[in-house]
Amino acid sequence: MEFTSFESTILWVVIGSGVVGVLYALYLRKDVLSKDPGTERMQQIGAQIQEGAYAYLGRQFKTIAWLVVILSVLLGLSGAGAGFSTAIGRGLAFLLGCLGSGLTGYIGMTLAVRANTRCTAAARSSIAAALSIAFRAGGVTGMFTVTMGLLGATALFMVFKEHATEVLLGFGFGGSLLALFMRVGGGIFTKAADVGADLVGKLEAGIPEDDPRNAAVIADNVGDNVGDCAGMAADIFESYEVTLVASMILALAHFADDPRKATIWIVFPLIVRAIGVITSMLGIWIVRMKNDQEHPMAPITRGVVWSAVLSAVGFFVVAQFYVGPTHDGMKLFWATVSGLVLAIAIYKLTEYYTSHSYSPVKTIARSTQTGSATTILTGFAEGLEGSVWALVAICGAILWSAVVFAGGSAVDILYGVSLCGLGMLTTTGVIISMDTYGPVVDNAQGISEMAEVEEAADAVALLDTVGNTTKAATKGIAIASAVIAASALFGSYLSKVAQGLAGGEVTEAVSIEAVARHTLPVDNPYVFVGLLIGGAMPLLFSSMTIRAVSRAAFSVIHEVRRQFREIPGLMEGKALPESAKVVDICTASALRELVAPALLAILSPIIVGTWLGWEGLGGFLAGIIVVGQLLAVLLCDAGGAWDNAKKLIEDGLYGGKGSDAHKAGVVGDTVGDPFKDTAGPALNPLLKVMNMVALLVVPLIAAYQGAATLKIIGVVLAVVVAIALIISKRESEDTQQTQQRVGEDEEAV
């Protein structure tokens, strides 16, 4: 693969844009930390949140370090057929992907837990200043997400060139795996604390949401950061990389017939990413309120829209003057712009189904007047409907690619789908800023209540309501990006099948004709059975994560009850709760529950491939994509809608706080917590981890299909997964001890 002098310069410009993005992030960080951190009491509460967040992520990284090292070695061995340098590169790229994903989440979280008190302090005098602090804190996470991914991918491409796709598979897999761990672990932590705090505090004790007497409140605030800040950053980071890997693999299919076209189509996505860095910086800068009377959602929307518009202009310039008509420049432009349109469409759809300003949330709030059952039924119905319209939007984007590349090969169409994903995540800096803004203002509201900062209460309450909508919207975009990435990887999958069946080295550029010879007809029983099994995986995975939250919440609830009962003067406000004990319970539960979901995600594609062959594995991936998307949107939309319906009632609707409607709303919100913050978001990295594993193993499966050794490996791995599932359903020793104490207390009573 030969680069022109212009292309060599462009690649260095791309690297330079990444460096500029890092410098901008550091500037935002310095600006946020220069603000007033608030009163001594606010800083004390903030320090408790920081301590819990740092301790959790530190223990999580230590827990998974051994698995990362083992997988790095295995990935290096799996690339042995590509030559020594590429094999070593794949293993090191996996470590780099893990490091980038983990570091992105960690950096964002470390600022978020310091920005919360500053947001509260600013809200005492200006809601506009508070919004600016929260969004800029999110901007640091957003800019590190785009720059870490861009710098890593571009550097690997410049070193390995036409062999870069094999190395980037390791990079993408590393990002996906860390995102899965951080999403699942953080989600279990945050919702165990949240459910425990709500059920005991609000329903049983009748005290406010963030009352300092509640031992679970600090853990709940810690969870907001390790779940939404660290988890979402890692999640989007890996989507950012996976779409890039898919586009490069698909572009490389042109190498045999048109090397120049292949080179241009590989460089184009890197330029698109560089444009995204610049437009994300501008989008973050634009987000500022004109005055304190403007609604906070207005400047956020301005930032998103202007970032998208400026990105589209950049795409046009590159498509017209670099790609040109000879290599279908305008087709690449329209395919990439469709991603921007899809991002805005998903954003508005999610806002409609989760914002308190629209009919779905108002309908759920109305249903609370007749009890918890109707509240849950109405919210579930709205979530079901929302998942359908999100799927229609995604289908429209994929079909648009088919229209744009009409007359081209299936590989060209799927390349267009990958560009849609690239376009969708171009404004990642702004998207992540919106998400991290949510937990910052959520913590700010908690701190204002615990520290009794009454003058900030109304401002942070409004910002928190907006934060619920922005978090839900970014989850919707993350889900859609996961589906687009997985769909694009489908074409890459067929390319890898062709490599395996051809018996060539894994670095061999597979032609479009070779890919076209391999299809996945649904009437093939192996494909159909794989489709059914794949469709079941998101359901099983969600069952595991929701059950994990329920088990952890059980222990949290009884610990909070114990403290209310046994700590003298706690309910009178004369003593402080033992918050560290709840943080420890959530940490231990989250880390313990990571193992089984991770094994399911990594090993199930290999098991299916060894027994059903590459056809069955292809069907398996299709089933995961369809069911995973529908289920993820259902869970996230329903959960977000229940949350904001509860907030409508807390603002005075249908009797306000303490009313029967409020109690029903709290139950709906409690059910929705693990939906929207654990199971739903965790399906995003699940889709991509399974797709990446399939891409890595399918050449071997295709080459040795039917071999007895493969089937034996499949049986062994199936036994491992089965044992992990059985163990995951067992109650932990802590839970058993808690149950025993509860039984003894009831006997004594």
Side-chain angles (χ1 to χ4, degrees), residues 240-267:
Y240 194 81
E241 293 317 309
V242 167
T243 50
L244 186 60
V245 171
S247 65
M248 286 183 164
I249 293 174
L250 293 164
L252 195 61
H254 283 283
F255 198 78
D257 59 303
D258 192 344
R260 186 69 198 133
K261 183 176 186 178
T263 302
I264 291 174
W265 279 25
I266 287 175
V267 173

Coordinates of all heavy atoms in Angstrom, one line a residue, residues 240-267:
Y240 N -16.6 3.7 18.5 CA -15.8 4.6 17.7 C -14.7 3.8 17.0 O -14.4 4.0 15.8 CB -15.1 5.6 18.7 CG -14.5 6.8 18.0 CD1 -15.2 7.9 17.7 CD2 -13.1 6.9 17.9 CE1 -14.7 9.0 17.1 CE2 -12.5 8.0 17.4 CZ -13.3 9.1 17.0 OH -12.7 10.2 16.5
E241 N -14.1 2.8 17.7 CA -13.0 2.0 17.0 C -13.6 0.9 16.1 O -13.1 0.6 15.1 CB -12.2 1.3 18.1 CG -11.4 2.3 18.9 CD -10.7 3.4 18.0 OE1 -10.1 3.0 17.0 OE2 -10.9 4.6 18.3
V242 N -14.7 0.2 16.6 CA -15.2 -0.9 15.8 C -15.7 -0.4 14.4 O -15.5 -1.1 13.4 CB -16.3 -1.6 16.6 CG1 -17.1 -2.6 15.7 CG2 -15.7 -2.3 17.8
T243 N -16.4 0.7 14.3 CA -16.8 1.2 13.0 C -15.6 1.5 12.1 O -15.7 1.3 10.9 CB -17.7 2.5 13.2 OG1 -17.0 3.4 14.0 CG2 -19.1 2.1 13.8
L244 N -14.6 2.0 12.7 CA -13.4 2.3 11.9 C -12.7 1.0 11.4 O -12.3 0.9 10.2 CB -12.4 3.1 12.8 CG -11.1 3.6 12.1 CD1 -11.5 4.5 11.0 CD2 -10.2 4.3 13.1
V245 N -12.6 0.0 12.3 CA -12.1 -1.3 11.9 C -12.9 -1.9 10.8 O -12.4 -2.4 9.8 CB -12.0 -2.3 13.1 CG1 -11.7 -3.7 12.6 CG2 -11.0 -1.8 14.1
A246 N -14.3 -1.9 10.9 CA -15.1 -2.4 9.9 C -14.9 -1.7 8.5 O -14.9 -2.4 7.5 CB -16.6 -2.3 10.3
S247 N -14.9 -0.4 8.5 CA -14.7 0.3 7.3 C -13.4 0.0 6.6 O -13.3 -0.2 5.4 CB -14.8 1.8 7.5 OG -13.7 2.3 8.3
M248 N -12.3 -0.2 7.4 CA -11.0 -0.5 6.8 C -11.0 -1.9 6.2 O -10.4 -2.1 5.1 CB -9.9 -0.4 7.9 CG -9.6 1.1 8.2 SD -8.3 1.1 9.4 CE -7.8 2.9 9.3
I249 N -11.6 -2.9 6.9 CA -11.6 -4.3 6.4 C -12.4 -4.3 5.1 O -12.0 -5.0 4.1 CB -12.2 -5.2 7.4 CG1 -11.3 -5.3 8.6 CG2 -12.5 -6.6 6.8 CD1 -11.9 -6.1 9.8
L250 N -13.5 -3.6 5.0 CA -14.4 -3.6 3.8 C -13.7 -2.9 2.7 O -13.8 -3.3 1.5 CB -15.7 -3.0 4.1 CG -16.6 -3.8 5.1 CD1 -17.7 -2.9 5.6 CD2 -17.2 -5.0 4.4
A251 N -13.0 -1.8 3.0 CA -12.3 -1.1 1.9 C -11.2 -1.9 1.4 O -10.9 -1.9 0.1 CB -11.7 0.2 2.5
L252 N -10.5 -2.7 2.2 CA -9.4 -3.6 1.8 C -9.9 -4.6 0.8 O -9.0 -5.1 0.0 CB -8.8 -4.2 3.0 CG -7.4 -4.8 2.8 CD1 -6.4 -3.8 2.3 CD2 -6.9 -5.5 4.1
A253 N -11.2 -4.9 0.7 CA -11.7 -5.9 -0.2 C -11.5 -5.5 -1.7 O -11.5 -6.3 -2.6 CB -13.1 -6.2 0.0
H254 N -11.3 -4.2 -1.9 CA -11.0 -3.6 -3.2 C -9.6 -3.7 -3.6 O -9.2 -3.3 -4.7 CB -11.5 -2.1 -3.3 CG -13.0 -2.0 -3.3 ND1 -13.7 -2.1 -4.5 CD2 -13.9 -1.6 -2.4 CE1 -15.0 -1.9 -4.3 NE2 -15.1 -1.6 -3.0
F255 N -8.7 -4.1 -2.7 CA -7.3 -4.0 -3.0 C -6.8 -4.9 -4.2 O -6.0 -4.5 -4.9 CB -6.5 -4.5 -1.7 CG -5.1 -4.1 -1.7 CD1 -4.7 -2.8 -1.4 CD2 -4.0 -4.9 -2.0 CE1 -3.4 -2.3 -1.4 CE2 -2.7 -4.5 -2.0 CZ -2.4 -3.2 -1.7
A256 N -7.5 -6.0 -4.3 CA -7.1 -6.9 -5.4 C -7.4 -6.3 -6.8 O -6.6 -6.5 -7.8 CB -7.8 -8.3 -5.3
D257 N -8.5 -5.6 -6.9 CA -8.9 -5.1 -8.3 C -8.6 -3.6 -8.4 O -8.4 -3.1 -9.6 CB -10.4 -5.3 -8.5 CG -11.3 -4.6 -7.4 OD1 -11.1 -4.9 -6.3 OD2 -12.1 -3.7 -7.8
D258 N -8.5 -2.8 -7.3 CA -8.2 -1.4 -7.5 C -7.5 -0.9 -6.2 O -8.1 -0.4 -5.3 CB -9.5 -0.6 -7.7 CG -9.3 0.8 -8.1 OD1 -8.1 1.3 -7.9 OD2 -10.2 1.5 -8.5
P259 N -6.2 -1.1 -6.1 CA -5.4 -0.7 -4.9 C -5.6 0.7 -4.5 O -5.6 1.1 -3.4 CB -4.0 -1.1 -5.3 CG -4.1 -2.1 -6.4 CD -5.3 -1.7 -7.1
R260 N -5.6 1.6 -5.6 CA -5.7 3.0 -5.3 C -7.1 3.4 -4.6 O -7.1 4.1 -3.6 CB -5.6 3.8 -6.6 CG -5.6 5.3 -6.4 CD -4.3 5.7 -5.8 NE -4.4 7.1 -5.2 CZ -4.0 7.4 -4.0 NH1 -3.4 6.5 -3.2 NH2 -4.1 8.6 -3.5
K261 N -8.1 2.8 -5.1 CA -9.5 3.0 -4.5 C -9.5 2.5 -3.0 O -10.0 3.1 -2.1 CB -10.5 2.2 -5.3 CG -12.0 2.4 -4.8 CD -13.0 1.8 -5.7 CE -14.4 2.1 -5.3 NZ -15.4 1.5 -6.2
A262 N -8.9 1.3 -2.8 CA -8.8 0.7 -1.5 C -8.1 1.7 -0.5 O -8.5 1.9 0.6 CB -8.1 -0.6 -1.5
T263 N -7.0 2.3 -1.0 CA -6.2 3.2 -0.1 C -7.0 4.4 0.2 O -7.1 4.8 1.4 CB -4.9 3.6 -0.8 OG1 -4.1 2.4 -1.2 CG2 -4.1 4.5 0.0
I264 N -7.7 5.0 -0.8 CA -8.5 6.2 -0.5 C -9.6 5.9 0.4 O -9.9 6.7 1.3 CB -9.0 6.8 -1.9 CG1 -7.8 7.3 -2.7 CG2 -10.1 7.8 -1.6 CD1 -8.2 7.8 -4.1
W265 N -10.3 4.8 0.2 CA -11.4 4.4 1.0 C -11.0 4.0 2.5 O -11.8 4.1 3.4 CB -12.2 3.2 0.4 CG -13.1 3.6 -0.7 CD1 -13.0 4.8 -1.5 CD2 -14.3 3.0 -1.1 NE1 -14.0 4.8 -2.4 CE2 -14.9 3.7 -2.2 CE3 -14.9 1.8 -0.7 CZ2 -16.0 3.3 -2.8 CZ3 -16.1 1.4 -1.4 CH2 -16.6 2.1 -2.4
I266 N -9.7 3.7 2.7 CA -9.3 3.5 4.0 C -8.9 4.8 4.7 O -9.1 5.0 5.9 CB -8.0 2.5 4.0 CG1 -8.5 1.1 3.7 CG2 -7.3 2.5 5.3 CD1 -7.4 0.1 3.5
V267 N -8.3 5.7 4.0 CA -7.8 7.0 4.5 C -9.0 7.9 4.8 O -9.0 8.6 5.8 CB -6.8 7.7 3.6 CG1 -6.5 9.1 4.1 CG2 -5.5 6.8 3.5

